[in-house]
Amino acid sequence: MAETKGKFDFAIDRGGTFTDVFARLPDGRERVLKLLSRDPQNYKDAPTEGIRRVLEEETGQLFPRDQPVDTALIGWIRMGTTVATNALLEREGERTALLVTKGFKDLLHIGTQARPKLFDLEVAVPDVLYEEVIEVDERVVLCQDDCQLPRKDPKRIVTGSTGDSLEVWQELDLEQVEKDLRGVLSRGISSVAVLLLHSYTWSDHEKAVGSLARRLGFTQVSLSSEVMPMVRAVPRGYTVCADAYLTPKIHQYLKGFTAGFKGGLKDVDVLFMQSDGGLTPMEQFCGSRAILSGPAGGVVGYAITSYSQMEKKPVIGFDMGGTSTDVSRYAGQYEHVFEATTAGVTLQAPQLDINTVAAGGGSRLFFRSGMFVVGPESAGAHPGPACYRKGGPLTVTDANLALGRLLPSFFPKIFGPAENEPLSLEETMTHFRRLTEEINIFLSASQTQVNGANKSQNSMVPNSQSVMSVEDVAMGFIRVANEAMCRPIRALTQAKGHDTSQHVLACFGGAGGQHACAIARALGMKTVFIHKYSGVLSAYGLALADVVEEVQEPCSLKYEQQCFSELDRRMEQLCRRCHDTLSARGFSNGQITTEVFLHLRYEGTDCALMVTADGYPSHANSCQAGDFHSAFTKRYLKEFGFTIPDRPIMVDDIRVRGCGKSGINSTHKSKMGHTQAKPVMMTKCFFEDGYMDTSVYLWEELPCGKTIQGPAIIIDKNSTILVEPSCEACLTEEGDVCLTVGSDSQCVIGTELNTVQLSIFSHRFMSIAEQMGRVLQRTSISTNIKERLDFSCAVFGPDGGLVSNAPHIPVHLGAMQETVQYQIRSLGNKLKEGDVILSNHPCAGGSHLPDLTVITPVFRKGVNRPVFFVASRGHHADIGGITPGSMPPHSTSLQQEGAVFVSFKLVTGGVFQEEAVTEALMAPAQYPGCSGTRNLHDNLSDLQAQVAANQRGSQLVGELIDCYGLDVVQAYMGYIQSNAELAVRDMLREFAQRRWRQTFSLEVESEDFMDDGTPIRLRVQINEEEGSAVFDFTGTGTEVWGNCNAPRAITLSALIYCLRCMVGQDIPLNQLPFCAYEGLPKADQSDHPPWLHPPAFPGCSCGWRKRAHVSESG
């Protein structure tokens, strides 16, 4: 497909608020245009209006709005749109019916049971996309000769596309399906999604149902075997439902769009951006591939413009918008994921790996319980930030305005009720003065409280700066927002084994330029790249993107010599299909490339990687397309930290991605500069060292090759760039801005409490726990940990008190603290550097035996005792006992449940004690009716993964201490613990006031019973003045003879969890030392025989019952 000559070419990104237009003019010049996506008073469709305006202004001809646009001057149109995303978010798709195998009617309603917001008391289950369900009487199962379950006599044996044999237990009842479909059609539903089990490999039944539906008159028929033929029925079902639900809406939009042009754009090449970063013809644009249509253009834009094939330095894309920030990575290839969740719907389709954090220019600012909080709530487009003059709240945009980093005189006068006023600095400052007064009152009260009481280790010591100015407060919020946006970048790089500092930060989006230098400096990056079209980069990326054709089919072959010929045949067949399709679209052979991917995994594992053999040439012992074995093992080692040499490698899917190169290049060159750039004005901006004189430049007037020293502001009509002190900017020949980030003079932080630093340290501690979790998931091998994410990671203080726990498993929250504190009491000075402890005994803080806790003490040179502890708890699928699995139903003693560890040294002096731990894991076999672990290999691999996660946590704690000093880090550890206490005290005071108004009582009590009649009693006494509570379990029954008992650690976890849920806001997950617990057995039960169940409350789930009663009482 060659470039069009003598015509106008358009690339358009239709977003939720604005529509960006990039136009290439017949003479080679380029134009950009930004207009509102919805303006019904002036035009029907924003992309059509953008095209009309450019044609009219550039040709001088009249193109009336009330008439279809003449397409004679249009070469091609490329679009990205959020139509599908918005329809999914707002649940405004087409009325849809789901046809599913009989007996699986509620499969998608049950879903994965994922709970993204762990502490919400009211769990909002996402609505399903279908309105009705038809159960199809048919059944096909895979042939499994070793299956011992009752089997039906198959009516026939068939062979699937993967080569697997399948048994047809129940033939398709098409007559009944027709009756059901006619009933659905009569009720006005014209879109159907078909999901039959195992259709990914044998699709005859689905195709028969689809053919019938089309014959009956359904306008949209989506088959899971065609939309995405991959194993796993639930995500495949979500995907086919999304396709049936959204595709009619897309077609409806396209019909309206084409109606705005003469001939319905029949002779114009119209392409749409898909979620995978490739363009597809308008008629093939479908709902399941359209979710990331808008953001994908931006990724393509920065990838092509920022990545240097010579230097090969990877790039981080940083797209900061109004409500959120998207981050992604490019290192020569687009990074895709094949399952992603949007609006509660998990889609199984290739999508660019884009991580989103709820922090943008419109993120709201709060001061809660002594902490600066940014987001996740957003002011939105209406009312918008306070400075928009529409009664909106304080936001990140207001903070930048208050610090002088945004200049109202350079913004259009489109604000206020009549949309004819400038940005209002007065509104912003009024709100900030009010918030600053609130913060200073809090600081003053904290000072008074501390002066009136003895200072404990964790007391909230006041800031040495007793009064904060408006600028201090605004700067504090900017720093907290920056740290929030750094977290997903660290996750995207460090969690996958990449060095964050060795990346270039490519910044785009309207708000990113104000934060680019600070974020790059915080992450150790030296270079920031901002493209000249950064404000409309998603649209520009569409002009640069390739046309993509993808085909994929399932496979179940082993990657081994005897299968290579069949794999080569199938890969060649798919490559030919892609090539033929792109040739039919006008691409020459020289413009077409194909790339083969194999979806590979080790046999017996569920973690598959989509692998290309690029850079791994073929040889005698590989496929003709390349050495996929070497490519897979090298990537597996990098991502997960190990390989499994003795396991066969399975091929789950074969995928071919064909690209038709567009051949479009930017021809714009900037003027070479002979003199330094001249500022258009000087202003005052507030930085860490106070107000500084800051030069203001217009981007369009900058000469290339000349540097601008910070502090400076560079203004473009679509964005504002802040060049911070010790940074410098330079304009490239292409007209882009390249920022060089210098090292900042390190601000000395003392041990006194600083409320801004408190928020930043909270993010840093949480980031450590989160990165530990990602390492554990990455390096583990079992399904429980790698796939089900049944693990938790946390950081603890020198006394074993919980500092931060990533939001993993609720029952682990407080129990891990008990485990660490038990080891401190038990081992004391016996803990040495290089030791790692393994424990799971209920008397030592264990939850249940398969939850193995690995604890690593963090030592510091010159300090005899551990300065911190890091720990990870993971659910091992089997550790021996009378039955496989987690919880033998009839066990009455611990050895019947598996291997027991109290204070076992898993690593001594840096050496993993494989022989000793193997012996311990096999020890249950000595008891009658019991077995040792049935999967020793996975146990050892997962324990090593837990050690690796702890090692990462220890390293990150060490880096934090290197940066701030041990005394400062430990001081803020105490402040964070105290801050969580403060938030819970505030909640208890509010609860007490509400309870008193309702019942004139400050007590809450309830009683429940186990199946055998054993009572569980809880009485909560609240002290409103102190904001404290006593949880009294007196009257609860004694331990039962069985395994349904809740040890002290479980009970404490339940209390912490329910209190955290009731707080209703984000606070650090840590200990609650101010609570009194009565009626609990003592923690130290070292004299209790290890083969018996420990003294505990009856009822494994009593903790969750207590949570419900405490919260319902409010």
Side-chain angles (χ1 to χ4, degrees):
M1 180 181 293
E3 289 190 49
T4 56
K5 295 185 182 297
K7 291 191 176 184
F8 290 83
D9 299 324
F10 295 93
I12 305 170
D13 175 38
R14 184 188 186 278
T17 304
F18 290 103
T19 291
D20 300 334
V21 180
F22 168 82
R24 178 188 291 276
L25 309 184
D27 59 4
R29 289 183 298 118
E30 298 167 351
R31 261 196 73 172
V32 295
L33 179 69
K34 187 182 286 281
L35 64 161
L36 290 171
S37 293
R38 291 178 58 85
D39 191 356
Q41 294 179 342
N42 293 307
Y43 46 81
K44 294 180 180 179
D45 179 68
T48 306
E49 173 66 12
I51 292 172
R52 190 197 66 79
R53 287 186 189 180
V54 172
L55 291 175
E56 190 170 84
E57 293 170 9
E58 292 297 331
T59 64
Q61 301 176 25
L62 184 64
F63 288 79
R65 279 182 179 158
D66 58 352
Q67 297 179 19
V69 177
D70 188 351
T71 60
L73 295 176
I74 300 176
W76 49 249
I77 299 173
R78 299 179 172 195
M79 282 185 61
T81 176
T82 57
V83 169
T85 312
N86 294 339
L88 186 61
L89 290 170
E90 298 164 9
R91 293 298 194 262
E92 292 182 351
E94 188 74 9
R95 295 178 64 194
T96 303
L98 169 67
L99 284 81
V100 67
T101 300
K102 187 176 181 179
F104 293 86
K105 177 180 181 179
D106 296 318
L107 179 67
L108 300 186
H109 174 68
I110 296 170
T112 61
Q113 295 293 290
R115 187 174 174 180
K117 296 183 179 179
L118 194 61
F119 304 105
D120 278 5
L121 288 174
E122 183 179 356
V123 181
V125 180
D127 295 330
V128 293
L129 301 182
Y130 50 85
E131 189 173 315
E132 292 194 27
V133 180
I134 295 175
E135 292 190 272
V136 180
D137 192 8
E138 67 87 43
R139 193 70 168 96
V140 178
V141 298
L142 288 169
C143 292
Q144 298 183 70
D145 296 333
D146 57 345
C147 179
Q148 300 178 16
L149 295 174
R151 302 172 61 184
K152 295 183 180 181
D153 292 329
K155 292 182 168 46
R156 57 187 170 120
I157 305 294
V158 296
T159 302
S161 61
T162 59
D164 292 315
S165 296
L166 300 97
E167 300 176 358
V168 179
W169 285 3
Q170 177 64 50
E171 294 286 0
L172 176 64
D173 186 354
L174 265 182
E175 185 177 340
Q176 183 59 47
V177 172
E178 182 172 352
K179 291 180 183 178
D180 293 335
L181 283 174
R182 288 187 183 278
V184 166
L185 195 60
S186 68
R187 291 187 286 276
I189 297 176
S190 58
S191 181
V192 293
V194 186
L195 171 66
L196 303 183
L197 298 191
H198 299 296
S199 62
Y200 69 93
T201 181
W202 191 74
S203 58
D204 288 24
H205 282 180
E206 270 199 2
K207 289 178 178 177
V209 172
S211 178
L212 173 62
R214 293 186 183 97
R215 180 167 56 82
L216 292 176
F218 284 89
T219 56
Q220 176 64 37
V221 179
S222 298
L223 308 181
S224 72
S225 55
E226 294 176 353
V227 172
M228 182 47 65
M230 292 181 73
V231 71
R232 298 181 70 191
V234 171
R236 191 170 81 250
Y238 281 139
T239 306
V240 73
C241 284
D243 194 78
Y245 184 74
L246 299 174
T247 300
K249 285 296 179 182
I250 290 176
H251 289 168
Q252 180 182 334
Y253 171 73
L254 295 180
K255 184 178 180 181
F257 173 64
T258 55
F261 298 85
K262 288 183 180 179
L265 291 173
K266 181 180 179 181
D267 298 323
V268 178
D269 185 30
V270 183
L271 301 170
F272 274 77
M273 175 61 76
Q274 300 183 112
S275 300
D276 62 359
L279 295 165
T280 192
M282 176 172 60
E283 59 274 10
Q284 295 182 17
F285 190 47
C286 63
S288 60
R289 301 290 185 100
I291 301 301
L292 295 181
S293 175
V299 176
V300 174
Y302 87 73
I304 294 177
T305 59
S306 305
Y307 183 77
S308 169
Q309 291 291 344
M310 296 291 292
E311 297 180 6
K312 295 189 180 300
K313 196 167 186 178
V315 184
I316 294 293
F318 177 72
D319 180 6
M320 184 177 177
T323 59
S324 62
T325 296
D326 294 334
V327 297
S328 54
R329 182 176 182 271
Y330 182 82
Q333 287 186 332
Y334 295 113
E335 298 188 358
H336 290 99
V337 292
F338 293 86
E339 272 190 29
T341 301
T342 302
V345 178
T346 300
L347 297 180
Q348 195 177 49
Q351 303 176 47
L352 291 170
D353 189 5
I354 300 174
N355 291 261
T356 301
V357 59
S363 294
R364 296 181 59 182
L365 311 181
F366 303 94
F367 184 73
R368 291 171 174 161
S369 302
M371 289 189 72
F372 283 59
V373 179
V374 177
E377 299 91 337
S378 173
H382 183 82
C387 59
Y388 280 17
R389 299 177 182 267
K390 292 183 180 179
L394 278 179
T395 67
V396 172
T397 296
D398 290 297
N400 278 309
L401 180 62
L403 297 174
R405 302 176 176 197
L406 293 177
L407 304 176
S409 59
F410 288 91
F411 280 75
K413 296 182 179 181
I414 57 173
F415 305 99
E419 299 185 347
N420 59 355
E421 299 178 76
L423 283 176
S424 174
L425 178 60
E426 295 78 13
E427 287 284 341
T428 292
M429 297 306 288
T430 298
H431 281 71
F432 261 118
R433 280 191 284 267
R434 192 179 304 132
L435 181 59
T436 302
E437 183 179 356
E438 176 189 334
I439 293 171
N440 285 328
I441 290 174
F442 173 87
L443 294 176
S444 177
S446 298
Q447 175 73 63
T448 303
Q449 183 178 356
V450 170
N451 289 341
N454 292 327
K455 295 182 182 180
S456 64
Q457 180 183 355
N458 289 346
S459 62
M460 297 285 277
V461 182
N463 190 339
S464 57
Q465 179 187 353
S466 57
V467 176
M468 297 186 74
S469 67
V470 167
E471 290 82 1
D472 292 331
V473 171
M475 190 69 187
F477 279 114
I478 292 294
R479 293 173 63 193
V480 173
N482 289 342
E483 184 59 38
M485 290 182 285
C486 285
R487 280 172 67 176
I489 297 177
R490 291 192 181 102
L492 196 67
T493 52
Q494 294 175 355
K496 294 184 178 181
H498 307 299
D499 184 352
T500 309
S501 65
Q502 297 304 307
H503 289 68
V504 173
L505 186 67
C507 181
F508 57 107
Q514 299 147 42
H515 300 258
C517 287
I519 287 175
R521 181 182 285 124
L523 296 169
M525 298 179 181
K526 300 300 182 185
T527 305
V528 177
F529 182 87
I530 304 177
H531 194 268
K532 63 175 178 286
Y533 295 140
S534 61
V536 293
L537 194 62
S538 290
Y540 187 60
L542 294 170
L544 303 176
D546 295 328
V547 177
V548 169
E549 172 67 16
E550 282 206 5
V551 290
Q552 181 172 318
E553 61 181 37
C555 181
S556 61
L557 298 173
K558 291 183 179 179
Y559 189 82
E560 56 187 13
Q561 190 75 42
Q562 52 265 43
C563 297
F564 286 162
S565 59
E566 175 63 13
L567 286 171
D568 287 334
R569 183 190 68 80
R570 294 177 65 176
M571 286 187 280
E572 176 60 30
Q573 186 180 53
L574 294 179
C575 286
R576 194 179 307 115
R577 281 173 56 187
C578 281
H579 192 281
D580 292 346
T581 301
L582 290 171
S583 294
R585 293 178 190 163
F587 288 97
S588 65
N589 289 339
Q591 293 175 306
I592 298 174
T593 61
T594 57
E595 188 172 17
V596 179
F597 297 83
L598 295 183
H599 206 198
L600 303 175
R601 62 179 172 84
Y602 283 115
E603 188 176 45
T605 70
D606 286 338
C607 186
L609 297 176
M610 193 67 77
V611 176
T612 174
D614 184 34
Y616 298 88
S618 61
H619 51 78
N621 296 317
S622 75
C623 288
Q624 292 179 7
D627 183 2
F628 285 93
H629 183 278
S630 297
F632 172 73
T633 53
K634 184 173 181 179
R635 182 174 163 195
Y636 204 95
L637 179 65
K638 183 171 185 176
E639 290 217 11
F640 304 129
F642 64 94
T643 58
I644 316 176
D646 56 338
R647 295 264 187 111
I649 297 174
M650 303 299 298
V651 183
D652 280 349
D653 301 276
I654 303 172
R655 169 181 168 232
V656 174
R657 181 180 176 92
C659 294
K661 300 295 182 182
S662 68
I664 296 172
N665 296 301
S666 178
T667 58
H668 173 81
K669 297 291 182 182
S670 293
K671 59 183 178 182
M672 290 299 295
H674 301 286
T675 60
Q676 287 294 336
K678 295 181 180 179
V680 295
M681 63 175 289
M682 297 295 293
T683 187
K684 293 279 190 181
C685 282
F686 190 88
F687 297 97
E688 297 289 348
D689 297 329
Y691 277 106
M692 299 179 69
D693 290 330
T694 304
S695 303
V696 180
Y697 300 87
L698 295 181
W699 193 331
E700 61 191 24
E701 295 181 2
L702 294 179
C704 71
K706 300 297 181 180
T707 60
I708 296 173
Q709 298 295 329
I713 294 176
I714 300 174
I715 293 179
D716 181 36
K717 56 186 174 182
N718 291 318
S719 59
T720 298
I721 302 172
L722 179 70
V723 185
E724 296 199 359
S726 75
C727 301
E728 62 182 33
C730 180
L731 196 74
T732 68
E733 279 190 44
E734 290 74 24
D736 310 316
V737 171
C738 185
L739 300 175
T740 302
V741 181
S743 58
D744 191 17
S745 54
Q746 186 67 39
C747 179
V748 178
I749 299 171
T751 56
E752 302 86 1
L753 173 64
N754 179 293
T755 50
V756 175
Q757 286 296 335
L758 177 66
S759 301
I760 292 174
F761 269 97
S762 175
H763 278 288
R764 293 298 295 270
F765 278 123
M766 284 297 294
S767 178
I768 291 172
E770 288 169 354
Q771 288 195 57
M772 289 174 63
R774 290 187 178 94
V775 170
L776 178 52
Q777 182 188 3
R778 217 165 38 85
T779 56
S780 61
I781 192 173
S782 70
T783 300
N784 269 0
I785 295 179
K786 182 176 285 296
E787 301 295 325
R788 291 183 55 242
L789 310 183
D790 193 349
F791 65 82
S792 289
C793 298
V795 179
F796 304 85
D799 61 349
L802 181 61
V803 179
S804 65
N805 192 129
H808 293 143
I809 301 298
V811 76
H812 297 167
L813 293 178
M816 290 175 71
Q817 171 180 304
E818 291 274 304
T819 304
V820 175
Q821 291 177 335
Y822 179 91
Q823 305 308 322
I824 294 174
R825 292 193 302 270
S826 175
L827 298 176
N829 293 329
K830 297 178 183 178
L831 283 171
K832 304 297 181 185
E833 189 167 6
D835 290 350
V836 179
I837 310 303
L838 172 63
S839 180
N840 69 342
H841 197 290
C843 290
S847 38
H848 68 157
L849 285 192
D851 280 345
L852 301 185
T853 304
V854 175
I855 305 163
T856 301
V858 179
F859 285 86
R860 192 72 179 167
K861 187 175 181 180
V863 183
N864 295 327
R865 301 178 64 86
V867 296
F868 278 92
F869 290 85
V870 291
S872 56
R873 176 170 289 185
H875 183 163
H876 290 239
D878 191 277
I879 57 170
I882 57 177
T883 62
S886 302
M887 185 176 169
H890 306 299
S891 60
T892 55
S893 62
L894 283 183
Q895 92 274 2
Q896 292 178 333
E897 295 188 1
V900 179
F901 303 92
V902 180
S903 298
F904 183 89
K905 287 202 173 183
L906 181 64
V907 177
T908 303
V911 179
F912 186 78
Q913 303 297 304
E914 183 170 344
E915 184 176 340
V917 75
T918 298
E919 181 180 346
L921 286 166
M922 302 305 298
Q926 64 186 296
Y927 299 103
C930 295
S931 165
T933 179
R934 299 163 182 86
N935 199 344
L936 178 63
H937 179 272
D938 282 10
N939 292 134
L940 294 176
S941 295
D942 284 352
L943 286 172
Q944 289 168 347
Q946 289 179 258
V947 172
N950 287 7
Q951 178 63 25
R952 180 59 176 157
S954 177
Q955 176 189 348
L956 291 172
V957 169
E959 291 176 3
L960 197 62
I961 294 173
D962 289 340
C963 183
Y964 293 101
L966 177 60
D967 55 343
V968 172
V969 174
Q970 288 191 332
Y972 275 92
M973 170 204 74
Y975 300 151
I976 288 172
Q977 291 172 328
S978 297
N979 178 260
E981 173 185 334
L982 180 63
V984 177
R985 285 188 187 276
D986 288 344
M987 178 275 295
L988 288 173
R989 290 189 183 98
E990 293 175 5
F991 179 88
Q993 294 167 4
R994 188 168 64 250
R995 179 73 178 172
W996 181 260
R997 288 195 302 268
Q998 293 173 350
T999 66
F1000 299 103
S1001 170
L1002 293 180
E1003 292 187 0
V1004 183
E1005 57 184 332
S1006 189
E1007 181 179 42
D1008 204 346
F1009 298 90
M1010 294 179 62
D1011 292 344
D1012 64 358
T1014 304
I1016 303 171
R1017 294 194 179 103
L1018 173 63
R1019 180 169 173 244
V1020 183
Q1021 300 166 288
I1022 304 168
N1023 185 316
E1024 180 182 351
E1025 183 178 351
E1026 295 181 358
S1028 61
V1030 175
F1031 296 82
D1032 188 351
F1033 294 89
T1034 302
T1036 294
T1038 58
E1039 178 188 12
V1040 299
W1041 182 252
N1043 60 11
C1044 286
N1045 294 288
R1048 169 191 168 93
I1050 292 291
T1051 308
L1052 291 178
S1053 276
L1055 293 175
I1056 291 175
Y1057 180 69
C1058 79
L1059 290 170
R1060 170 62 184 82
C1061 288
M1062 293 175 68
V1063 167
Q1065 66 188 50
D1066 286 337
I1067 61 171
L1069 307 180
N1070 53 45
Q1071 62 182 2
L1072 301 178
F1074 61 95
C1075 286
Y1077 309 91
E1078 296 187 3
L1080 294 182
K1082 294 180 180 179
D1084 189 359
Q1085 302 286 348
S1086 56
D1087 59 338
H1088 194 76
W1091 55 85
L1092 293 177
H1093 278 294
F1097 296 121
C1100 238
S1101 61
C1102 73
W1104 311 119
R1105 291 193 183 101
K1106 289 193 291 294
R1107 174 183 67 87
H1109 286 299
V1110 170
S1111 61
E1112 287 169 3
S1113 299

